[in-house]
Amino acid sequence: MNAIDSFRSAAYNVALKQMFRIPPERIHGLMSRGLECVSSSEAAQAVLRKLFVVDEPSLAQDIAGIHFPRPLGLAAGFDKDAKELNAWGPLGFGYAEVGTLTSINQPGNPTPRLFRLPADRAILNRMGFNNEGITAATQRLRIRTTPEPIGVNLGKWKRTDAAVAHNDYRNSAQTVGDAADYLVINVSSPNTPGLRDLQAVETLRPIVESVQAVNDRPLFVKIAPDLSDADILAVTDLAIELGITGLIATNTTISRDGLATDSTYVAALGAGGVSGAPVAARSLEVLRLIAERAGNKLVLVSVGGIETSEQAWERITAGASLIQGYTPFIYGGPDWVRDIHRGIAGQLKAHGLASISEAVGSKLEWKRN
Ligand SMILES: Cc1cc2nc3c(=O)[nH]c(=O)nc-3n(C[C@H](O)[C@H](O)[C@H](O)COP(=O)(O)O)c2cc1C
């Protein structure tokens, strides 16, 4: 880290302290307004690109016909309505996932529904898919100018019965069409009643098939860290059988185990999913489980508490072609994005590898033998 980088990191930490005095959803709204301005200003984008983009050919990959210039993407939930599309690439991300979007707009859960757990470098949220709906987002996706890929994460409308949830996913997939570079079936948010039950293979199958019937974009399913190992393997087998592109692991956890934050305080916050550092160990475990089962039959995207470039490298060598983050971006800012990419590029060089694709899964048993 040079002097300018150290200064910027220190400045971000000071700004973070001030931001943390403001209620989380309010500051999220303010940040989003700022990012919307960046998204519509080519001059701002050019400045940010100089600061945060690690332009290193070894980091680029072509996956399922999509060119990913860098492996770290913005995870779903930050840019729910695809309003900041042109800002993510300049902030250093190699791609971004917007949503979760539902077929019809909905307000989400009552506030407060977003909480910081700084002692755990974590967030607890029960947003409940607040979004303006897939139609509005699709219009924005169609006029974006960013060269970085944008994935679209789809969910079920709160009041849709689980038995007909596949209609919701199909309608959204049809509406978004080819405006998305890839699609994600999100069946793993803890904040929509009954949603996670859709991960059971018998309910997941019709959802996947409904989406595949109307949209031929690369398709991922995003799963929860709280599934049993047996259920994770069952979803992996189904994903292979149905020929989807891959899995995104993982969403937030409903577990409150091992938190440093006072347990009475956490209990008083109520329901929701925890993200950030506390989910890292299980997220890695789930990745390893899927990677050993799937071999090279699925593209794996790892997300959950990836704070350092060492952790990023661990995920990649454990089988993740791509990685994502949300909570570490809140705590680390765009410097975190740049440092992760610099760290991976450094590891590739140190291992004498010309491309990140040579590193993907290099620690897997089946790949070594
Ligand atoms: C405030 C908040 C909102 C989120 N909303 C969504 C969402 O709408 N859809 C989704 O698939 N994941 C959502 N997530 C989960 C993240 O995409 C990610 O899977 C999870 O936070 C773990 O990654 P992290 O530790 O890097 O945050 C949300 C996370 C947070 C913190």
Side-chain angles (χ1 to χ4, degrees), residues 45-268:
Q45 290 160 31
V47 172
L48 291 174
R49 270 191 192 280
K50 283 217 165 67
L51 290 173
F52 299 116
V53 169
V54 177
D55 192 9
E56 181 58 61
S58 63
L59 294 176
Q61 298 168 89
D62 289 318
I63 297 171
I66 309 168
H67 182 72
F68 290 88
R70 298 173 292 285
L72 173 62
L74 177 76
F78 194 110
D79 189 4
K80 287 196 188 268
D81 286 305
K83 287 184 175 172
E84 298 131 42
L85 292 172
N86 304 322
W88 302 117
L91 284 170
F93 288 105
Y95 65 106
E97 193 171 302
V98 298
T100 293
L101 287 149
T102 51
S103 56
I104 304 170
N105 62 312
Q106 60 179 18
N109 289 324
T111 56
R113 53 191 180 178
L114 182 60
F115 310 92
R116 305 176 189 110
L117 308 177
D120 288 293
R121 300 186 310 284
I123 292 174
L124 192 162
N125 93 85
R126 54 168 171 278
M127 303 300 286
F129 294 169
N130 53 308
N131 77 106
E132 295 177 8
I134 190 71
T135 306
T138 300
Q139 283 161 2
R140 296 184 193 112
L141 284 158
R142 292 226 174 270
I143 55 167
R144 71 186 199 259
T145 54
T146 184
E148 284 83 8
I150 303 286
V152 176
N153 179 305
L154 305 175
K156 173 183 94 64
W157 197 52
K158 185 178 175 184
R159 285 203 283 271
T160 301
D161 197 84
V164 288
H166 57 277
N167 289 335
D168 262 17
Y169 289 93
R170 190 200 48 231
N171 291 344
S172 296
Q174 194 154 30
T175 303
V176 76
D178 62 0
D181 288 302
Y182 69 84
L183 292 178
V184 182
I185 294 174
N186 178 14
V187 277
S188 48
S189 163
N191 305 312
T192 293
L195 188 92
R196 286 149 50 109
D197 299 340
L198 302 177
Q199 291 172 111
V201 288
E202 63 276 16
T203 36
L204 187 54
R205 180 188 292 276
I207 297 175
V208 170
E209 288 175 342
S210 301
V211 170
Q212 284 174 322
V214 296
N215 195 314
D216 59 5
R217 285 305 203 200
L219 178 62
F220 293 83
V221 169
K222 184 168 177 181
I223 62 169
D226 307 315
L227 285 177
S228 70
D229 289 1
D231 285 345
I232 287 166
L233 294 178
V235 172
T236 306
D237 291 345
L238 182 74
I240 296 168
E241 184 203 324
L242 296 179
I244 70 168
T245 310
L247 294 174
I248 303 183
T250 64
N251 213 309
T252 57
T253 178
I254 55 168
S255 164
R256 303 290 187 262
D257 291 347
L259 295 180
T261 309
D262 177 63
S263 56
T264 321
Y265 173 78
V266 176

